[in-house]
Amino acid sequence: APVLISILLGASFSRYQVEESVEHLLAPTHSLAKIERNLVDSLFPVNRSKHRLYSDLQTPGRYGRVIITSFRKANMLDQHHTDLILKLHSAVTRIQVQRPGFNYTFAHICILNNDKTCIVDDIVHVLEELKAARSSNRTNFAITYPITHLKDGREVYNGHQLGGVTVHSKDRVKSAEAIQLTYYLQAINSLNDMVAEKWESIFCDTVELFQKSNRKVKMYPFTSSSLKEDFQKTSRVSERYLITSLVLVVTLAILCCSMQDCVRSKPWLGLLGLLTVTLATLTAAGIINLTGGKYNSTFLGIPFVMLGHGLYGTFEMLSSWRKTREDQHVKERTAAVFADSMLSFSLTTAMYLVTFGIGASPFTNIEAARIFCCNSCIAIFFNYLYVLSFYGSSLVFTGYIENNYQHSIFCRKVPKPEVLQEKPAWYRFLLTARFSEDTDDSEETNTYESHLLVWFLKRYYCDWITNTYVKPFVVLFYLVYISFALMGYLQVSEGSDLSNIVATATRTIEYTTAQQKYFSNYSPVIGFYIYESIEYWNTSVQEDVLEYTKGFVRISWFESYLNYLRKLNISTGLPKKNFTDMLRNSFLKTPQFAHFSEDIIFSKKYNNEVDVVASRMFLVAKTMETKREELYDLLETLRKLSLTSKVKFIVFNPSFVYMDRYASSVGAPLQNSCISALFLLFFSAFLVADSLINVWLTLTVASVEFGVIGFMTLWKVELDCISVLCLIYGINYTIDNCAPLLSTFVLGKEFTRTKWVKNALEVHGVAILQSYLCYIVGLIPLAAVPSNLTRTLFRCLFLIALVTFFHCFAILPVILTFLPPSKKKRKEKKNPENREEIECVEMVDMDSTRVVDQITTV
């Protein structure tokens, strides 16, 4: 049944859909910045955002962008490079997109200016004027930075178009190492959007072809589709690495379940355990696809979530099988296995469902995290059902094979030792087995000790880790672990940089690296919007605006703007109509405020009066090393000011959509999962035999999570969507591995703590070690995938596995030997209801007083 269900549901995954919108996946769902963007779009047309100032103030839309630089740090403003850039510009504008009946060029799909011409970056006009000046031998033409003047008298901002700038006195540009060009496209309907997308693809090909013919320059093309393509590219570049990972896990799973004894070896169970996990994952993928879900690259982490949980459950069942008596019927042995292992597996599965279920709820504000948790929940649920049915049935089949003394691989009857003596050595080696009639009762219990891992733990490791001389070094090592974890924990940073989720050898990474290198002198352009009709001519209103926007004191343009408003109102006594006319005309004629000339919206009222209904300014700040953190702090500060300000204003930049409440949105699934896990542990404390199990489990989970967060920060992993999902998984992975150990130790009575530590390791250590080895081997190929997303995934999952393994095999075995619960007290404590009653009966010879016998009854 599980196989048929998986095939039927998984077949639909052959026609899976890919999520196209990166913003839908990674931007906070309930983001105030999205509302602000809609307000900005309703006030200012897109073309007014692209004109006058290089920016993506409202929505990036469709565009093609290229950074041109030189390998030898040459001056891109010299004659050779200027001609080269203008030649590239000419080639780009001649790009044609062929459609049935018409060929579209840049002129057909570009964003138009007020005079119905294509909006082109002002740096192109600067280069054209520079070329004309050289042709006419004029030496008085100078480019200033970051604001320069054109021949028509306009002031233009070039801070994001000239990079690596060296200036003379008075901000005159001496040289520039990089130049950036941007071409904005219309996407007003589906046909237009399709043509623009095709144009972007041809644009990248044109730039790359142009570079091949000009080897001395380096060009970094980038389009609005690049981020989406590079995000999904991770899935394509990961395919062969995932296949390698699967082959390695299959091989090791088979080896971990194999023994020299050909009857008791269980290689097929190792393979079938992995098949159980695969079937559950395939079923979940089919259900998600049938319900309208779309695939994205974050789903690459789901197989590893399933691998850690599913394989441990199957290995634990196999470990329980080894503890059963071979002279029992298969039915009795199977019942003992389920009674021994499925209770803990059921509880850990419930923990997975609760923690990931909270992550899949509407409380999660990041869509990628919500979809990931939802898919994981479905896969884990079916994995539990398939372990009960599919793997349980497989265990029964191999049990009959073992009871009938059939070969564990070839399923043929193993001959008796006396028959094997007549066979060749290689034949005897393949059919090596121990028969129960050849061993006495004392040896029967040690049948499975020939398994390498069982033999290693029981004979060597358990005695070594509980040695008195080893314990101080383990405690010291734990203190070092806590110290480094604390050092990393204090440096945790939030990762809202989208380049962290794309493949490495892509346009996004190359372009982002070049942009940060050459164009990081100034922050992204921020739009400051006043979206109400206020009395700009009123002095008190001007003071209010100035009072509530002191966060912009470092940006001189804003204060100049307010001072200019004051000057227009000095002792003029003009009525409102005349004032607004003067305001509009002055802005159009004054070069100092040419940047704002089209950013005041006037609406006509009755009697031909006009009113200012909205205005905006472009704000650019000098960038420091902590650009992203400063921008986020500025956003939060201005949001608070906008709530208390008498003037209605907002600030907006497209990056705010990703940054807005990012920290709280990313941390919420982890926080909710931790709370739900603690609640479940607290609630189950009333159901388990001893509440100390949950106390120890909670402390262990806290120690592991603290260490993983600290060490992943030291390993340069930021707290983003991927790492948070891994941390949620880390809670469950720790409980998976540590709960059986702690339960066996705490519930053990009599003997000593050291004895029960050894017993817990002997009973559950093999399953933990087997699943850990398979998990690590499966993770190793992931480290070689050329993608930032998989890099984060590998580092987080590797740390989770390593730290949990360190706690299971070192920290807990040592600490539990000298911390509660105490076993001696339990031994000495007598139950008054179970007192010993002793009856002595003497049998005396009737002929004498000699005692013949004495019978004692207890």
Side-chain angles (χ1 to χ4, degrees), residues 447-515:
T447 305
Y448 284 99
E449 275 197 18
S450 59
H451 190 284
L452 180 62
L453 297 180
V454 177
W455 173 79
F456 169 73
L457 285 176
K458 193 166 187 177
R459 295 295 178 89
Y460 293 98
Y461 187 79
C462 290
D463 292 330
W464 177 81
I465 195 64
T466 55
N467 189 288
T468 307
Y469 299 102
V470 174
K471 293 179 184 179
F473 292 99
V474 174
V475 173
L476 180 62
F477 192 70
Y478 182 69
L479 295 176
V480 173
Y481 159 81
I482 289 294
S483 301
F484 277 94
L486 179 62
M487 183 172 63
Y489 187 83
L490 297 176
Q491 303 175 33
V492 172
S493 60
E494 298 149 7
S496 58
D497 189 358
L498 295 181
S499 63
N500 290 335
I501 52 98
V502 300
T504 51
T506 55
R507 295 191 184 105
T508 300
I509 296 297
E510 293 177 350
Y511 171 81
T512 303
T513 303
Q515 189 181 52

Side-chain angles (χ1 to χ4, degrees), residues 156-176:
V156 295
Y157 171 76
N158 56 25
H160 289 144
Q161 296 169 344
L162 289 178
V165 176
T166 304
V167 296
H168 289 294
S169 59
K170 298 182 180 179
D171 294 333
R172 294 181 61 180
V173 177
K174 179 181 179 181
S175 64

Side-chain angles (χ1 to χ4, degrees), residues 611-644:
D611 196 8
V612 179
V613 296
S615 65
R616 72 174 175 182
M617 289 147 281
F618 298 134
L619 308 165
V620 184
K622 287 289 288 184
T623 303
M624 305 208 174
E625 293 181 357
T626 57
K627 175 178 65 174
R628 191 171 56 201
E629 290 76 8
E630 282 191 349
L631 200 61
Y632 180 77
D633 292 340
L634 180 62
L635 172 63
E636 291 300 310
T637 301
L638 292 174
R639 284 275 172 76
K640 295 175 182 177
L641 288 173
S642 65
L643 296 175
T644 58

